[in-house]
Amino acid sequence: MQLGNKQVLIVEDQRPFLLLLKGLMQSMGATDVVTKSSAEQAISLCKRHKFDIVISDLHLGADNKNGYELVEELRVSKLISPATVFILISADSARPIVLGSIDKRPDDFLIKPFSQIQLKTRITRAWKKRQFLLYAYKLIDKQEITEAIEHLKTQLSEPSHYKGHCEQLLVELYWQTKNPKAALDILEGYTDGKPVLWAYVALGKTYLKLKQFDNAINVAKRILKQNRFNADAHDILAHAHLAQHQEQTAIEDIKEAIRLSPFSLQRHIDACNIARETADFHLAAESSQAIWNLSKRSVYKNSLFWCGMIRSLLDVAEHTEDKKQKNKFQQEALLTLQRGKFDDHLQRMDREFDVDIFGKIINARVSAIDGKLIDAKRHLDASQRDLDEKYAELPTAYIPDSLNVMYTLGEFDDAVELAKLLKSRGEKLDQNSESMLAKHEALTEKNLASYQQFNREGIEHYQNEDYERAKASFALAQGFAPVNTGVALNLLQCLLQLAKKANAADAEVVTECKRLFKLIDDMTLKPPYKEKYDSLRDELSKFIGF
């Protein structure tokens, strides 16, 4: 392989080794060699310049992107071409090359120390492999997945040194196209003979997709016999055991996977989802913290992950009976919220995000957890008013937690409207937000149906001038929607009619009216609600002393 016509980028934060690598590449014939000391610098350069070969260290500083995050961003953002070879270097000989994803997987992995011959051999081998698969990679890059599959099947039918690489790529494409049976047809050829690690991991994941959970468990156990430090095998066990309703075993599995490989964003997302499904809110909070810390350096950085971290702390507070624990996690959530005002990562990734407005939503939830529903409603109302003033269109980042509080308070009309808005956008939320909303929607479904039924019955009774029965129905509706504005107004309307009928308001009616006024006073009401409230308040003032 001739390196004289190849453009090379070396990314290494240790200057002595960076210079050594540059010297090795030049002595091998490379004349165009550029060096950078961080992934961030490399990404900035790749926006303006294309390279044929990228060589990067895995560890590029504690607070910077690592090599896996670098290759993923370069490929996802298409800052390198499908022909570019990416070689990852590490001093950690115990680190396995996991199956990963097409975007995140390097072309080869070198362990320090290594010789010039080893470096040249690996680069040459990786280059030839990528050239052989280049047309498939180009099709994948253009999202022409069906065509890529057909091309790889043609390549597989011909003798080649790259049969395994073709099969590995095909398996991942079959997963993408939701055809795990086709992936299984390829992988079953690896079940006899000496185990091939990538194939066994892929086989276990394919069995999961096919809901063959016992088979997935058996494959994972075989992987662990070969390598007891394989985190992917524990991932497979976690998902299989969860599907078989062995929740505690699933939690232990995913915790072990994290212990073995703590820097995988997807692993922590999986852990968070498993933890939420099994009501292990402490683990969900730990993984949410890790998701934020890992994602903010990745191509998938998103302010929703920061919001999810705070939400997960409040989940712990909401689901504990211990008052000290409850206060501890509430305070931790509020402290994290305050730190967000000075978080450079958050500000850079979403300059329009307003921590103060989000803080009002979070304070609403804290009040709701403490049972202070009127305070919660006031905080939520203030947040929604600020959002209306600041944004022409409501940013998605605020919606999940606003919905959370609306569901809790029983503001179903607003919640349904907001949920429709979110769905109409077709945006993919982070899995943490999706999990939370799915759970709330499921819990709310029964309450919403009961609220709607009793509210509807109350309206019918009111129209028939049966105000006592209307009041009873609206009171039942309010039991499912304790601070709902619409129901509060309907109750006030009934009380007015009862006061008119008696030409006076007894002590019970006065007390009830004042309670309802407290729910609505100083709130931002929609025009029809405001008009109705002002009218009711004026008329009731004739019977009630303020």
Side-chain angles (χ1 to χ4, degrees), residues 372-386:
K372 301 174 181 176
L373 298 186
I374 295 178
D375 288 344
K377 184 170 181 175
R378 294 194 190 288
H379 285 305
L380 180 64
D381 181 71
S383 71
Q384 302 307 298
R385 187 166 57 242
D386 288 350

Side-chain angles (χ1 to χ4, degrees), residues 433-449:
S433 296
E434 286 184 348
S435 174
M436 181 270 292
L437 289 178
K439 180 183 175 184
H440 265 286
E441 286 171 4
L443 291 172
T444 301
E445 189 174 350
K446 186 176 180 180
N447 286 348
L448 175 57

Side-chain angles (χ1 to χ4, degrees), residues 460-479:
E460 290 173 0
H461 293 315
Y462 185 88
Q463 290 172 342
N464 293 328
E465 299 184 2
D466 190 345
Y467 301 124
E468 284 289 355
R469 291 181 69 185
K471 175 188 168 187
S473 293
F474 288 136
L476 288 170
Q478 194 173 54

Side-chain angles (χ1 to χ4, degrees), residues 68-88:
Y68 280 126
E69 291 162 343
L70 173 59
V71 63
E72 185 174 43
E73 181 150 353
L74 290 178
R75 286 185 178 154
V76 169
S77 301
K78 299 186 179 180
L79 298 178
I80 53 177
S81 79
T84 302
V85 166
F86 193 104
I87 306 291
L88 201 55

Side-chain angles (χ1 to χ4, degrees), residues 26-271:
Q26 288 174 333
S27 66
M28 288 159 48
T31 56
D32 189 351
V33 181
V34 180
T35 62
K36 292 295 175 184
S37 60
S38 73
E40 288 76 12
Q41 291 176 0
I43 289 166
S44 178
L45 176 63
C46 287
K47 290 177 180 178
R48 309 185 306 272
H49 193 82
K50 299 299 180 186
F51 292 92
D52 301 299
I53 300 168
V54 179
I55 303 170
S56 173
D57 194 72
L58 173 58
H59 304 288
L60 295 168
D63 296 324
N64 299 319
K65 292 180 191 292
N66 62 35
Y68 280 126
E69 291 162 343
L70 173 59
V71 63
E72 185 174 43
E73 181 150 353
L74 290 178
R75 286 185 178 154
V76 169
S77 301
K78 299 186 179 180
L79 298 178
I80 53 177
S81 79
T84 302
V85 166
F86 193 104
I87 306 291
L88 201 55
I89 296 171
S90 175
D92 186 359
S93 60
R95 180 176 294 273
I97 305 176
V98 296
L99 183 64
S101 65
I102 296 171
D103 294 325
K104 198 169 186 175
R105 193 167 55 246
D107 292 285
D108 211 333
F109 196 93
L110 263 173
I111 303 299
K112 298 176 184 178
F114 52 82
S115 67
Q116 179 175 306
I117 293 174
Q118 287 175 306
L119 177 61
K120 186 170 184 178
T121 299
R122 293 298 183 89
I123 291 174
T124 301
R125 185 172 69 185
W127 180 266
K128 288 181 178 178
K129 178 185 73 177
R130 188 156 277 272
Q131 287 297 306
F132 180 81
L133 297 170
L134 183 56
Y135 187 64
Y137 281 126
K138 286 181 177 179
L139 291 170
I140 294 168
D141 192 57
K142 293 187 288 186
Q143 289 299 300
E144 296 177 5
I145 306 302
T146 302
E147 292 82 355
I149 288 172
E150 292 306 313
H151 176 71
L152 287 167
K153 286 165 65 176
T154 301
Q155 286 187 301
L156 267 179
S157 65
E158 302 169 358
S160 165
H161 294 296
Y162 305 104
K163 180 175 181 288
H165 299 294
C166 282
E167 290 176 327
Q168 187 173 356
L169 203 50
L170 256 180
V171 165
E172 294 180 62
L173 295 180
Y174 281 135
W175 289 347
Q176 282 188 33
T177 55
K178 302 188 186 307
N179 189 3
K181 181 63 176 65
L184 183 62
D185 291 340
I186 292 173
L187 295 166
E188 283 183 330
Y190 286 89
T191 54
D192 297 326
K194 186 178 179 180
V196 177
L197 183 57
W198 79 261
Y200 268 52
V201 170
L203 184 61
K205 292 182 178 181
T206 301
Y207 280 137
L208 288 177
K209 293 176 187 296
L210 290 166
K211 303 187 186 305
Q212 297 180 21
F213 302 117
D214 286 334
N215 287 341
I217 289 169
N218 290 334
V219 168
K221 287 179 177 178
R222 290 184 68 179
I223 294 169
L224 291 173
K225 281 185 180 180
Q226 182 185 356
N227 178 0
R228 63 192 179 94
F229 300 111
N230 188 279
D232 289 288
H234 289 286
D235 288 337
I236 293 166
L237 288 173
H239 288 291
H241 285 137
L242 182 67
Q244 294 181 333
H245 306 291
Q246 300 177 44
E247 287 84 359
Q248 192 53 46
T249 306
I251 288 290
E252 292 167 3
D253 292 328
I254 200 65
K255 282 183 175 179
E256 181 61 13
I258 289 171
R259 188 187 70 80
L260 292 169
S261 179
F263 303 114
S264 165
L265 176 60
Q266 185 57 52
R267 181 161 292 120
H268 280 289
I269 289 173
D270 289 346

